[in-house]
């Protein structure tokens, strides 16, 4: 169901792309992304995203095309949250735990033209490609995301590599802003535990407003240091992929969630905020050998069912301040309007209510 | 120049009215407004605003009508920032320092149908009414805002009084939400130092986005305590009238800005944030006899030309943390799109760039 709204002809559509543009000015030399020994500033991130958008454009990607990822929380996935929309395209972050069959199904359903694949998931993606009936449908172009030390693992010739795209892209690329803020920016598939995954489309406007709602909910002031323990491929990291850019924060990327990884990252980067599923809270509390004193209080936002009081208590003792996502209807209330799809119904109820609010 | 945007037919327009609705749920029993011994909670403020909207409706105000105010920072003016739009109408807050002639001119220009007048400005408003050629144009209905102790000063019979409207209004009133987020919510007149004041129209969308941009700029987290030293009648208090509601904060109202009033309010209400023109900073720094220790650091946002270093230094010594409004193009950047009028040009340059951004 569509309608028309009368508006000033020259208005600028709301889009998270503007968050990156602003941070590249206001927080130019502040750290945007850190991952192991890799570190970028906001102006570098903008430059890299523009180059990737340019490279995507040269690969034939244009307005409305879908670009997929199959990867954990590595810097490339963060950058693609901007680079793909900047090429006018739609980002589809697949769950990195899916098997080849599911990946193949979702690539077909989304009609992805390119897929960015983490080096550790290359075989899953290649088998997914093999499941295409190539007489009917061409599988998407595969781009490898190497590990961040720059060593490109063994892979068949003819496959592009992410850093190669960054290097080959033009930094003068003209960003393709959405024609309307209601244009799609991403497709998120539900987990598919009860049936086939369903696709949910986010608009530029919905992503913009949700990003703000989420960082406000999370109590993130200017320049937070956010530890990525929740997957970016899950609802675009609750829109915090874009939200951290809006506040000029630092994204601490983590390939694998482990207590040691969490405590090391917190100590090394002075983390201020993190998200955590209840299982991650259990992991932190129960694996005492990795614990170490926190340099400062860390705000933790947890979702799903409320954590048991003893877990909360132990977390507080360790120096974390845990907030539970409650009443998203209210907390998202003023700002959440995504392009709507009837497939909402299969989403978890808290997401459903947050999206409907 | 108008255009049309394709959008979901059932989308909910962005409007600051939703900030009040949310705070009345999430921050129900928290203090919304405090002024002398008067104190309201967010649920009370919502109830009072609904009643005033109802009373305005009974006075004949309907969608698109203009309702003016001529008053300093008293609670009624705060409430009217919600009550007037909730009646579908447009708020026009006149500068409380204007003389009768200017007030009359602006009432005619804005075609205000009702004007809410502070008890100390009644004579100005009555003389402004007398300047109407009543054969041609009926002057607006005058509603008196009494002093908050409830004592209604001597005034001619036949003039309604604000608290009377609150009492007579219905709390079941159905809020008139804007049909489109581009509908006007307020008209602000420029100061008119160089020529006749020009009217600038804010849209519901612009007000919503500007409110968020401004409280983010001001570093306001959840539940700030905001001291109203900058006039609400000036650009709707930089949209912080609505912005404080968005964050469930407390509005500390102050009829008259004086160092004693400022220090007393800070001590009594544990103020976290305030705005201040450079003259107010001078006032604070130079009138030592009113100074007293601050209970906590107070964030001060100052605008206009940068304050001299010695003023900043003294303010810091007193326990204030002063931020200067710089580069509004950038800081408002991602979120500022108001309905546009060619009269922008007469605005001060910082406002102009913030609005254009």
């Amino acid at each position: 169901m569509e309608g028309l709204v009368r508006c000033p002809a020259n208005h600028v559509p709301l889009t998270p792309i503007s968050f990156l543009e602003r941070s590249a000015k206001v927080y130019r030399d502040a750290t945007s992304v850190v991952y192991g020994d890799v570190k970028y500033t906001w102006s570098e991130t903008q430059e890299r995203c523009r180059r990737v958008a340019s490279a995507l454009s040269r690969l034939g990607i244009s307005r409305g095309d879908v670009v997929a990822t199959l990867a954990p929380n590595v810097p490339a996935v963060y950058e693609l949250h901007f680079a793909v929309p900047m090429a006018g395209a739609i980002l589809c972050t697949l769950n990195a735990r899916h098997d080849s069959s599911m990946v193949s199904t979702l690539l077909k359903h989304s009609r992805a033209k390119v897929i960015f694949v983490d080096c550790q998931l290359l075989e899953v993606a290649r088998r997914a490609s093999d499941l295409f009936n190539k007489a009917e449908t061409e599988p998407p172009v595969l781009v490898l995301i190497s590990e961040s030390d720059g060593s490109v693992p063994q892979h068949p010739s003819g496959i592009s590599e992410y850093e190669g795209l960054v290097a080959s892209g033009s930094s003068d690329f003209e960003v393709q802003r959405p024609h309307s803020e209601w244009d799609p920016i991403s497709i998120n598939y539900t987990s598919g535990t009860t049936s086939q995954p369903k696709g949910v489309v986010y608009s530029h406007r919905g992503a913009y407003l949700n990003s703000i709602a989420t960082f406000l909910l999370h109590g993130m002031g200017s320049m937070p240091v956010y530890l990525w323990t929740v997957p970016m491929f899950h609802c675009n990291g609750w829109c915090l992929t874009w939200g951290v850019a809006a506040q000029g924060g630092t994204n601490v990327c983590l390939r694998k969630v482990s207590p040691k990884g969490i405590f090391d990252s917190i100590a090394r980067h002075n983390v201020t905020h993190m998200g955590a599923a209840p299982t991650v809270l259990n992991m932190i509390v129960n694996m005492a050998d990795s614990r170490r004193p926190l340099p400062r209080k860390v705000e933790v936002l947890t979702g799903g069912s409320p954590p048991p009081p003893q877990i909360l208590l132990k977390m507080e003792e360790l120096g974390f301040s845990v907030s539970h996502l409650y009443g998203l209807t209210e907390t998202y209330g003023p700002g959440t309007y995504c392009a709507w799809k009837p497939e909402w119904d299969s989403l978890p109820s808290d997401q459903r209510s947050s999206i409907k609010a």
Side-chain angles (χ1 to χ4, degrees), chain A:
Chain A
M1 288 243 303
E2 281 198 324
L4 290 170
V5 177
R6 200 168 289 280
C7 64
N10 59 349
H11 83 278
V12 181
L14 300 178
T15 166
I17 295 171
S18 63
F19 296 150
L20 175 59
E21 291 168 346
R22 174 176 176 257
S23 277
K25 279 187 199 153
V26 178
Y27 304 101
R28 168 163 288 278
D29 300 318
T31 303
S32 53
V33 176
V34 58
Y35 176 63
D37 293 329
V38 174
K39 205 178 223 180
Y40 301 115
T41 64
W42 278 111
S43 75
E44 287 169 343
T45 293
Q46 183 186 39
E47 159 102 9
R48 289 173 57 85
C49 291
R50 214 187 267 134
R51 285 169 173 272
V52 173
S54 156
L56 281 169
S57 170
R58 286 183 196 160
L59 279 173
I61 293 299
S62 63
R63 197 173 287 278
D65 286 338
V66 173
V67 173
T69 64
L70 184 68
N73 287 348
V74 292
V77 177
Y78 187 79
E79 292 170 352
L80 287 164
H81 274 81
F82 295 94
V84 171
M86 284 159 73
I90 303 164
L91 181 67
C92 177
T93 50
L94 299 178
N95 191 321
R97 295 165 205 134
H98 281 327
D99 62 16
S100 296
S101 164
M102 183 62 88
V103 168
S104 181
T105 301
L106 298 181
L107 288 177
K108 285 171 197 164
H109 185 267
S110 66
R111 296 182 195 162
K113 292 198 174 170
V114 172
I115 180 168
F116 288 84
V117 181
D118 182 69
C119 49
Q120 295 188 357
L121 298 167
L122 189 55
E123 273 313 297
V124 178
R126 296 190 72 205
R127 282 197 301 269
S129 281
D130 291 342
L131 292 171
F132 274 66
N133 178 344
K134 286 171 192 171
E136 273 176 18
T137 321
E138 198 60 31
V141 173
L142 199 153
V143 180
L144 178 75
I145 304 170
S146 309
E147 188 43 308
S148 62
D149 57 8
S151 69
V152 181
Q154 288 293 323
H155 67 276
S157 61
I159 295 185
S160 311
E161 196 274 327
Y162 184 78
E163 288 300 328
L165 287 200
V166 175
S168 73
S170 161
S171 60
D172 294 335
F173 178 72
E174 193 190 336
V175 173
Q176 303 294 299
R177 301 181 77 91
H179 288 156
S180 155
E181 65 195 30
W182 298 99
D183 287 350
I185 191 172
S186 66
I187 302 176
N188 285 285
Y189 283 97
T190 59
S191 60
T193 40
T194 52
S195 63
Q196 285 292 87
K198 307 293 192 304
V200 178
V201 176
Y202 283 29
S203 67
H204 282 259
R205 172 186 168 104
Y208 180 100
L209 295 171
N210 256 306
S211 299
I212 294 172
T214 309
F215 75 67
L216 288 175
L217 178 72
H218 211 332
M220 281 182 174
S222 182
M223 303 181 80
V225 181
Y226 186 70
L227 177 61
W228 277 102
T229 52
V230 296
M232 294 184 199
F233 60 68
H234 184 216
C235 297
N236 304 117
W238 294 98
C239 290
L240 281 178
T241 41
W242 299 303
V244 173
Q247 288 292 67
T250 298
N251 295 278
V252 181
C253 293
L254 207 55
R255 167 178 287 278
K256 197 176 172 319
V257 175
S258 69
K260 183 173 182 335
I262 290 172
F263 279 97
D264 285 355
S265 296
I266 291 172
R268 187 169 171 194
H269 304 298
N270 210 7
V271 166
T272 61
H273 293 77
M274 59 183 280
T279 52
V280 173
L281 297 184
N282 284 335
M283 194 192 273
I284 292 172
V285 164
N286 293 323
M287 294 182 73
D289 52 345
S290 297
R291 284 184 209 163
R292 49 159 99 177
L294 303 184
R296 49 164 293 163
K297 190 177 275 296
V298 177
E299 301 288 336
V300 181
L301 196 66
T302 184
S305 56
Q310 63 271 31
I311 295 282
L312 287 178
L313 193 66
K314 282 187 190 162
M315 286 292 289
E316 302 279 341
E317 283 170 9
L318 287 169
F320 295 91
S321 170
V322 182
S323 305
H324 184 243
L325 277 182
Y326 66 93
L328 280 186
T329 308
E330 288 152 11
T331 44
Y332 268 22
T336 308
Y337 311 110
C338 290
W340 189 87
K341 290 268 159 176
E343 291 85 358
W344 286 131
D345 291 343
S346 60
L347 277 173
S349 67
D350 57 346
Q351 286 179 52
R352 224 165 50 217
S353 52
S354 78
I355 289 161
K356 279 187 181 168

